Amino acid sequence: MTTVTNPNAVLDRLAGWQQQLRAQFPIIANNPELAYLDSAATSQKPQAVLDAVTDYLTTANANAARGSYPWATATTAHIESARQRVRTALGDTGFDSGVEFVDGTSSGLRAVAGWLADLLVDGDEIIVPFGDHEANLRPWLDLRDDLSRRGIRVTVLPMPVDPASGDYDHRALPSLISERTRFIAVTHVHHVFGADMNVHRVRAAAGPEVLICMDAAQSVGHRPVSVAELDVDFLVFSGHKMLALPGVGAVWARNRRGPRFAVRGWTGTPNTAGIISLTAAFDWLDAAGPADIGAWTSALSARLTGGLTGLEGVRVLGCQNSLAADAPVQRRESIVTFRHARVRSDDLGFVLADEGIMVRADNHCQAGRRSDDHAVRVSVHIYNIPEEIDRVLEVVRRCEGTAS
């Protein structure tokens, strides 16, 4: 959870540090007139990550675990080292854990669903979020349907949500837990509302034996993440959202409850360049400081919500108690999504694009929402600056005068 009581003070304090980091992103440095504000979809890459991938591809590119010559053994060693790098980055302090590399969060959650299929029996229950990203709902519904075709009935219950805050309702959750509850799926940071969903409260509400799987696509690489504090059994994330290459991600498995996790079937050749980029991205993030990165992006989000609150016809989605610039309660974690009462979100997206501002303006893959339930999402990372937030506010402010 991130609170920012004075976002401008945070931005002033970290301005010099952030300027040095921003300069390390070639695509940002080479396009100073553009504002990239769609990092929740995919992040940009620092030079150190690009250099690490280039160095690997030009010095030791080979297949892993399939050869005894130096390039192959070096690649195998890189992958094993990357597993430990993921553990370290997630605050894994001595668990009997495993790390499996996958294509990204979506494929990782499906891999967990495949593993879970062998554990569930007729009459079991699972609890999953019906209002988060589609990737953290569809695998569990498909699992239920696949098991049903085999004569195994599994009940899927919706994760309760507090209507006031938008967080998971940890007070209501115990009433859903029964002796047949086997599994709970959660999201760390909501991809639309930008809210820390307070997953650290779920374990106490669920009890000691229920498996918990967390989608960390919007938290890993954006803020400190500790599996020790969260007490989850699975953590899944994507590389492309945390400064690494697309097409790679990881499933961290605690291996405390149930059989040891492994991806089903023949895995084939891993995305070696992508795995190299994950290690380099974690190294870069550690050197930069995850806590300061989280403070910077939350302060930018607070600057945006504070500005949007003063505009007529604009509604920021999610908890309404954290909108004012001086609000002392939990801040949005690098994501702010809003609607304009008189300007269609896709039209506003085009207007922003014409001004060199890149945002997401559509339905955001949110489960349980109508396909026409559109909004504008602004998502930031360490390379974004206050002036870019102010540009967004100015465009939306101008739309006030042109909307009919």
Side-chain angles (χ1 to χ4, degrees):
M1 179 188 300
T2 301
T3 56
V4 182
T5 55
N6 189 338
N8 289 330
V10 173
L11 295 172
D12 290 342
R13 175 175 63 85
L14 295 176
W17 164 84
Q18 189 273 342
Q19 186 177 19
Q20 293 180 349
L21 297 181
R22 176 180 166 90
Q24 297 178 40
F25 290 81
I27 196 170
I28 302 296
N30 295 336
N31 296 278
E33 75 285 1
L34 301 178
Y36 181 77
L37 296 167
D38 195 22
S39 291
T42 199
S43 63
Q44 300 304 334
K45 323 304 177 192
Q47 187 66 54
V49 170
L50 303 176
D51 288 346
V53 173
T54 299
D55 179 70
Y56 165 72
L57 291 175
T58 56
T59 61
N61 180 40
N63 214 330
R66 290 170 174 82
S68 57
Y69 51 90
W71 291 357
T73 55
T75 296
T76 303
H78 278 311
I79 292 175
E80 291 309 309
S81 175
R83 296 185 202 278
Q84 185 55 43
R85 189 67 187 87
V86 171
R87 293 186 185 95
T88 301
L90 299 181
D92 178 344
T93 56
F95 301 122
D96 182 26
S97 61
V99 173
E100 296 284 348
F101 294 111
V102 291
D103 294 342
T105 303
S106 296
S107 65
L109 293 171
R110 290 196 173 276
V112 175
W115 174 88
L116 183 61
D118 292 335
L119 273 67
L120 298 177
V121 298
D122 193 65
D124 281 348
E125 300 172 353
I126 64 175
I127 301 172
V128 305
F130 275 66
D132 297 357
H133 197 286
E134 190 77 23
N136 201 14
L137 174 62
R138 183 50 51 189
W140 321 120
L141 297 182
D142 289 347
L143 170 62
R144 175 199 62 189
D145 296 344
D146 290 344
L147 290 175
S148 177
R149 285 189 283 270
R150 292 157 48 187
I152 301 172
R153 177 184 55 83
V154 171
T155 300
V156 177
L157 300 172
M159 184 74 173
V161 174
D162 184 334
S165 67
D167 297 342
Y168 297 136
D169 192 340
H170 64 284
R171 296 179 182 88
L173 180 57
S175 66
L176 298 180
I177 304 295
S178 76
E179 62 180 10
R180 302 307 302 270
T181 304
R182 299 288 179 260
F183 177 86
I184 298 175
V186 296
T187 301
H188 199 189
V189 172
H190 199 281
H191 73 294
V192 175
F193 306 135
D196 180 328
M197 301 299 286
N198 288 300
V199 172
H200 64 285
R201 297 174 176 165
V202 173
R203 171 59 64 195
E209 299 305 321
V210 178
L211 291 155
I212 300 176
C213 175
M214 186 176 79
D215 173 351
Q218 299 296 349
S219 59
V220 170
H222 296 259
R223 50 171 288 181
V225 176
S226 170
V227 292
E229 294 176 4
L230 293 165
D231 198 7
V232 295
D233 297 280
F234 296 97
L235 184 149
V236 189
F237 68 93
S238 297
H240 72 101
K241 296 180 188 290
M242 48 78 64
L243 311 184
L245 296 186
V248 68
V251 177
W252 174 90
R254 184 184 296 269
N255 293 323
R256 175 183 170 189
R257 303 169 181 92
R260 193 169 190 85
F261 172 77
V263 177
R264 277 180 158 187
W266 179 255
T267 57
T269 299
N271 181 353
T272 51
I275 294 169
I276 294 294
S277 77
L278 276 182
T279 298
F282 277 128
D283 289 345
W284 191 93
L285 289 161
D286 275 359
D292 281 342
I293 291 173
W296 179 265
T297 56
S298 291
L300 290 178
S301 298
R303 187 184 186 100
L304 180 55
T305 58
L308 291 172
T309 302
L311 299 180
E312 183 181 354
V314 174
R315 177 176 174 79
V316 178
L317 304 188
C319 178
Q320 298 300 295
N321 295 327
S322 62
L323 299 184
D326 59 351
V329 297
Q330 177 181 333
R331 289 294 182 186
R332 284 155 175 76
E333 304 267 346
S334 77
I335 298 171
V336 177
T337 305
F338 66 94
R339 294 196 185 94
H340 197 296
R342 297 181 299 280
V343 182
R344 286 169 49 94
S345 58
D346 51 353
D347 290 338
L348 186 50
F350 282 122
V351 172
L352 288 165
D354 285 343
E355 297 287 340
I357 303 169
M358 293 169 273
V359 299
R360 176 84 171 262
D362 53 32
N363 65 357
H364 311 297
C365 304
Q366 187 175 2
R369 299 280 170 159
R370 301 188 311 273
S371 61
D372 62 345
D373 202 11
H374 291 188
V376 174
R377 184 180 71 180
V378 175
S379 53
V380 298
H381 214 304
I382 189 55
Y383 36 75
N384 293 116
I385 53 178
E387 291 79 3
E388 294 171 335
I389 299 300
D390 295 342
R391 286 173 64 185
V392 173
L393 291 170
E394 178 57 29
V395 171
V396 178
R397 191 175 294 115
R398 291 206 309 266
C399 288
E400 284 287 296
T402 60
S404 55

